[in-house]
Amino acid sequence: MARTTDSDLAPRELRVLVAAADTGGFSAAADILGLTQSAVSHSVRGSERKIGAVLFERGRTGARPTPAGEKAVAHARHILRLLDVLTAEARGAARSDAAEGPLRIAAFRSAALHLLPPVLQRLRARHPTIEPRVRIVREVGRGTAGEVADGKADLAIATLGGSAPLPPGLVASELFEEPYALVHAPGHAVPRSLPLVDWAENCGSYTRDWWAAQDWIPKATVEAEDDGAVLSLVSAGHGMAIMPALSLAGAPNAVRITDLGPDRPTRQVGYVTTSELARSGVVRALVRELRATVPPGMSLLSGEADQVERATRV
């Protein structure tokens, strides 16, 4: 039997690292863990000694992870989550129900509003012991996939097909293709001549080439925080917008949606998880419901099953 060594980190030490990173300080971490500040500080120093790197920068305003600390905390979150899955699946297997416990989902706003509700409704009906927890994350920078990479989510609803590669250790699978359309207030004979209303999440690498080739699209006159604000501004007559179909699922009656033709841009919507969690009961159950759901107006992406689909097939 393998024995632990003095260099091994115990789960309690991993929890201290995560709490210190999440709260931004040793005192705050101590409060949520039910420990003293000195105990947290001692635990962090012990972890740093075992790892051989400084994990936190200490200061008057708290403690912030160093680059080494960010990596350590991300791995700690993954390890603690797998320990939780181990317990839940072993308990569920004893009752012939391997899918139970928390399921952490990260999603961009329109997916959380228009894709997840029917998915989670069916998931709860089939697996009442699964506890979905949804976080809405802006799909910019590392986006929803970054939440999985950092150990903050088990699965992310993400836009795929961009130029940036997935972070190491993650696998992805496509769900459907989402077309873009022109949206504007009624009463305009030439809606393409209107000012452009846009938001930061809208134009990724999947639309950039198309966007650059359209000489009729002006520079954004108004930039909003999210797609809901864009629709509100468009409906009030402040301009037109080019938006993906999920964002238009809740479009008010005060706007008109115009197809951009056969060469319209599209983006791929899918999910991202880790290779380990792809085999867990809760993720497998969610993937089945996602695969069974294609929102109206979307095209199901077919083709050879990729890593996640193979890993989650039952």
Side-chain angles (χ1 to χ4, degrees), residues 6-306:
D6 291 340
S7 63
D8 290 334
L9 294 182
R12 64 180 179 276
E13 293 174 299
L14 301 180
R15 292 189 179 93
V16 169
L17 295 179
V18 171
D22 288 346
T23 61
F26 294 171
S27 295
D31 289 341
I32 67 171
L33 293 172
L35 301 172
T36 64
Q37 190 274 342
S38 61
V40 169
S41 181
H42 177 77
S43 178
V44 172
R45 285 198 304 271
S47 297
E48 290 176 327
R49 184 176 60 256
K50 291 178 180 180
I51 292 173
V54 176
L55 303 180
F56 287 88
E57 294 178 355
R58 283 81 159 170
R60 291 183 178 180
T61 58
R64 184 176 63 182
T66 63
E70 290 177 353
K71 288 185 178 295
V73 169
H75 284 298
R77 289 194 184 102
H78 285 299
I79 292 168
L80 291 171
R81 179 59 180 135
L82 289 176
L83 290 174
D84 289 341
V85 169
L86 181 156
T87 301
E89 296 206 347
R91 184 188 301 120
R95 299 196 301 265
S96 300
D97 182 8
E100 68 169 43
L103 172 59
R104 306 170 305 162
I105 306 166
F108 54 91
R109 181 182 179 276
S110 58
L113 287 176
H114 305 298
L115 172 63
L116 282 180
V119 168
L120 296 183
Q121 184 176 23
R122 290 198 306 273
L123 182 72
R124 287 180 180 276
R126 292 186 173 93
H127 301 279
T129 54
I130 291 181
E131 305 162 17
R133 302 171 184 175
V134 180
R135 294 183 64 227
I136 297 178
V137 178
R138 297 188 74 194
E139 192 68 334
V140 293
R142 298 172 73 237
T144 59
E147 297 294 295
V148 178
D150 292 343
K152 297 178 181 179
D154 303 326
L155 181 144
I157 307 299
T159 51
L160 308 178
S163 57
L166 280 177
L170 302 190
V171 289
S173 180
E174 299 168 344
L175 289 170
F176 53 82
E177 193 171 55
E178 183 183 18
Y180 280 72
L182 175 67
V183 57
H184 55 91
H188 295 281
V190 189
R192 292 188 178 204
S193 66
L194 294 170
L196 177 67
V197 182
D198 206 2
W199 84 105
E201 296 176 67
N202 193 30
C203 185
S205 56
Y206 30 77
T207 61
R208 192 172 291 119
D209 291 344
W210 178 90
W211 203 283
Q214 311 303 308
D215 56 9
W216 59 273
I217 302 178
K219 184 177 180 180
T221 304
V222 179
E223 292 190 3
E225 181 66 22
D226 56 44
D227 51 354
V230 170
L231 279 175
S232 179
L233 289 165
V234 169
S235 65
H238 293 286
M240 59 87 175
I242 299 167
M243 306 183 71
L246 274 178
S247 295
L248 296 174
N253 294 330
V255 300
R256 297 290 181 267
I257 299 172
T258 302
D259 194 295
L260 288 169
D263 296 326
R264 65 189 180 186
T266 62
R267 68 177 182 180
Q268 298 170 359
V269 176
Y271 55 88
V272 176
T273 186
T274 68
S275 55
E276 297 87 2
L277 287 172
R279 296 173 175 82
S280 68
V282 288
V283 168
R284 286 158 64 98
L286 177 61
V287 166
R288 282 193 291 269
E289 301 307 331
L290 286 169
R291 287 279 174 204
T293 303
V294 181
M298 313 297 174
S299 300
L300 182 65
L301 288 165
S302 58
E304 184 178 353
D306 58 19

